[in-house]
C-alpha cells in the first residue's frame, strides 16, 4: 500500500458517521426549537385568561375606530384609521 492512496473504507466510515451525527444534531435542534416554541406559546397565549385578551382586543379596536380627544388643550384629536387613510390619500393627490 502506498501512502498517497486514499483509504476508501475509512473515508466511507467517516462519511457515514458524519451523516448520522448531522442527522442527530438536526433532530436535537428541532426538538429544542419545538420545546422553546411551546414554552413561549404557553407563556404568551395560554397564561392570560381569554376574557383579558378579548378586552385588550376590544380596547385596541376602539382606539382605531373612534374619535376622541388626545389633548383637548392642544387641540389634538384621535380619528378613526379609515378616515385618517382617506385624508392622507386625498392630501397626496
Amino acid at each position: 500500500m502506498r501512502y498517497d492512496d486514499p483509504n476508501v473504507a475509512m473515508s466511507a466510515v467517516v462519511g457515514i458517521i458524519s451523516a448520522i451525527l448531522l442527522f442527530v444534531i438536526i433532530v436535537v435542534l428541532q426538538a429544542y426549537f419545538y420545546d422553546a416554541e411551546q414554552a413561549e406559546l404557553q407563556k404568551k397565549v395560554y397564561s392570560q385568561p381569554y376574557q383579558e385578551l378579548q378586552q385588550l382586543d376590544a380596547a385596541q379596536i376602539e382606539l382605531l375606530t373612534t374619535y376622541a380627544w388626545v389633548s383637548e388643550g392642544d387641540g389634538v384629536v384621535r380619528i378613526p384609521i379609515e378616515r385618517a387613510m382617506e385624508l392622507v390619500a386625498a392630501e397626496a393627490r
Side-chain angles (χ1 to χ4, degrees):
M1 179 168 99
R2 292 180 20 194
Y3 289 108
D4 58 348
D5 289 340
N7 187 345
V8 176
M10 184 58 76
S11 296
V13 169
V14 169
I16 291 171
I17 290 173
S18 297
I20 291 171
L21 185 61
L22 179 63
F23 177 75
V24 169
I25 289 172
I26 289 171
V27 168
V28 167
L29 287 175
Q30 185 66 33
Y32 174 74
F33 174 78
Y34 179 75
D35 286 343
E37 182 182 38
Q38 291 303 315
E40 280 296 310
L41 191 63
Q42 185 71 26
K43 184 174 79 174
K44 290 182 179 178
V45 175
Y46 301 128
S47 64
Q48 292 182 346
Y50 186 65
Q51 287 181 338
E52 286 183 29
L53 291 174
Q54 283 184 323
Q55 289 171 353
L56 177 63
D57 191 37
Q60 290 175 343
I61 289 173
E62 182 180 350
L63 285 174
L64 291 173
T65 59
T66 60
Y67 291 90
W69 284 105
V70 173
S71 175
E72 194 169 352
D74 295 330
V76 178
V77 178
R78 180 183 71 232
I79 63 173
I81 190 96
E82 292 293 327
R83 180 67 180 135
M85 287 190 295
E86 291 171 3
L87 293 173
V88 168
E91 189 176 290
R93 289 187 200 131

